[in-house]
Amino acid sequence: MGAPPEADNARRAERVDFGRRVLTVRAGRHVSGRIAVRPALVCGLLTLAALTIAVLALGTGEFTLPPDRVVRALAGEGTRAARLVVVEWRLPRVLLALMIGAALGLAGAIFQALTRNPLGSPDVIGFNTGAYTGVLVVTVVAGNGYYPIAAGALVGGLATAVVVYLLAFRRGVQGFRLIIVGIAISAMLGSANQWFIAEADLQAAFAAALWGQGSLNGLGWAQVTPVAVALGALCLALVAYGPRLALLEMGEDAAASLGVRAGAVRLAYLVIGVALTAVATAAAGPISFVALAAPQLARRLTRTPGIALLPSAAMGAFLLMLSDWLAQRAFAPTQLPVGVVTVSVGGVYFVWLLARQARR
C-alpha cells in the first residue's frame, strides 16, 4: 500500500527549490508555513544585538549598574534605587528608541519598495520636513506640549504626502517621479521652516530648533503608550495586507496580473508609511538616515531579492538603539541629540556605498 496522497504532496512541496534555504513549520494537519532561514537568523541576531545594547544603556550613566543587576531590576528584583533608575528613568527611553527605530525601518522599507529605488526614503521624499513644518506652525500658534506637537507632526506629514502624491500622479504614480517631486517639496518646506524659526519669538524658536534636531532626551512613559498603540495598530495593518508589497515591487503590471489592485494597495501602503513616519517624528523629531539605510543594510545581510519588512524593522531598531547609546555616552556628561549621530552614521553609510559602487 502506498503513502497517503497528503504525505506525497507534502514531500513534493519540500523538494521545491525556492532559491534559498527554507524551513517548513507545521501546526497540526491544516496549518503550515515556510520560513526563510537566513532572514530569520538575521532578524534574531539583530534583535539580540539591539537588546544587548539596551541592557548596556540601562546600566550606564551617573548611576552605573552591571548587566546582572539591570536584568534583576527589570524582573522586579534588586534594590529600590536600582528599579527606580532602570525602570522609571531609563527604560522608557530605551523602549522608545527600539520602537521608533523599528517604525523608521518599516517606513523606509515601504517607500523603497513602492518607489523601487534605494533613495525612496521618507526623509528624502520630504515627509520628515513636512512633519517639522507642522510642528513649527503648532509651536508658533499654540505653544509647546506633546500632544499639540504630535498632532502638528501628523498633520504636516500627511499633508505633505498628499501634495507630493497629487503632484506626482499622472496616470498612476511612478517611483522616480515621486522622489523628484518629494525632493522639490522638501526644499520648499525647508525654506519655509527657516522663515518660521526667524519669525517666531525666541523661546518658541529655540524649542522648535531643538526639536528639529531629533532627540530622545526628556521622553518618558507618557510618550511610550501612544507610540506603542499607534505602532501596534500600523503593524496589524501591514500584516493584514500580507505579501502585496512584494508583489508591487515586481511592477504594477506583474502585480495586476496576480490579482492585486495596484493603485488602491499602493495608496494604502503610502498612508501606512506616512503614519509610521509621523508617529516616529511626533515623538522624537525628525531623525534622518535610519529609514534610508536600514532597509538596504537588512537586504544585504539577508540576501533577499527585494525589500523585507521584518529585517528592516529589526535593523532600524538596532541602528537607533546604538545611535542613542552613542549620543548619550560618546561625549558624557554632554548628551547629543540622537539625530546628530544618525546623520554621522548616514554619512559613513553613503561613503561606504559610493566606495562599493566605485569598485564595480
Side-chain angles (χ1 to χ4, degrees):
M1 181 180 293
E6 293 83 1
D8 291 339
N9 293 335
R11 281 197 293 271
R12 280 196 292 271
E14 289 175 350
R15 289 196 295 269
V16 173
D17 184 6
F18 292 95
R20 53 186 176 176
R21 189 177 179 186
V22 175
L23 181 65
T24 301
V25 179
R26 290 188 175 85
R29 297 183 56 185
H30 303 290
V31 179
S32 64
R34 292 186 175 86
I35 300 175
V37 174
R38 187 180 179 92
L41 185 61
V42 168
C43 286
L45 292 176
L46 287 173
T47 303
L48 181 62
L51 294 178
T52 302
I53 298 171
V55 171
L56 293 176
L58 290 171
T60 54
E62 293 184 3
F63 191 84
T64 303
L65 293 167
D68 60 325
R69 292 187 62 187
V70 171
V71 174
R72 285 205 300 270
L74 291 174
E77 302 174 355
T79 65
R80 182 178 179 182
R83 293 197 302 273
L84 176 67
V85 171
V86 171
V87 179
E88 298 297 329
W89 293 356
R90 296 175 182 167
L91 183 59
R93 179 169 182 159
V94 166
L95 293 177
L96 284 169
L98 295 172
M99 289 191 295
I100 292 173
L104 292 174
L106 285 172
I110 290 172
F111 284 110
Q112 290 181 15
L114 289 179
T115 60
R116 302 168 67 186
N117 192 311
L119 292 179
S121 171
D123 44 348
V124 174
I125 297 177
F127 301 155
N128 277 1
T129 311
Y132 187 26
T133 304
V135 169
L136 285 174
V137 173
V138 168
T139 303
V140 171
V141 174
N144 292 321
Y146 173 71
Y147 286 104
I149 285 178
L154 184 61
V155 172
L158 288 174
T160 305
V162 170
V163 172
V164 170
Y165 186 85
L166 292 177
L167 291 178
F169 189 87
R170 183 179 297 174
R171 289 178 293 183
V173 175
Q174 300 298 322
F176 184 71
R177 188 188 305 142
L178 188 73
I179 293 174
I180 295 299
V181 172
I183 291 174
I185 296 297
S186 178
M188 295 170 63
L189 290 175
S191 299
N193 292 347
Q194 296 298 325
W195 180 81
F196 271 118
I197 293 177
E199 291 297 316
D201 61 70
L202 183 60
Q203 185 177 0
F206 179 76
L210 190 64
W211 185 89
Q213 293 180 345
S215 176
L216 297 173
N217 293 339
L219 300 182
W221 285 108
Q223 289 80 28
V224 170
T225 302
V227 171
V229 171
L231 183 58
L234 293 170
C235 288
L236 287 177
L238 285 176
V239 171
Y241 271 92
R244 292 184 178 90
L245 186 63
L247 299 179
L248 276 181
E249 203 175 0
M250 297 166 56
E252 289 196 5
D253 294 337
S257 66
L258 294 173
V260 176
R261 296 172 57 193
V265 174
R266 179 187 292 274
L267 182 60
Y269 275 114
L270 188 65
V271 172
I272 294 173
V274 172
L276 286 167
T277 306
V279 167
T281 306
I287 298 175
S288 302
F289 284 107
V290 175
L292 178 68
Q296 293 300 316
L297 293 176
R299 182 180 182 180
R300 282 168 171 77
L301 287 178
T302 56
R303 297 179 183 174
T304 53
I307 301 294
L309 291 179
L310 196 56
S312 300
M315 178 61 79
F318 167 72
L319 288 179
L320 192 58
M321 189 67 250
L322 178 61
S323 298
D324 188 53
W325 186 48
L326 293 175
Q328 293 182 70
R329 307 314 313 163
F331 299 97
T334 301
Q335 293 192 15
L336 299 176
V338 68
V340 175
V341 178
T342 58
V343 169
S344 303
V345 174
V348 175
Y349 168 72
F350 267 121
V351 170
W352 171 78
L353 198 61
L354 290 173
R356 180 184 174 89
Q357 293 294 331
R359 286 197 297 268
R360 290 183 175 178

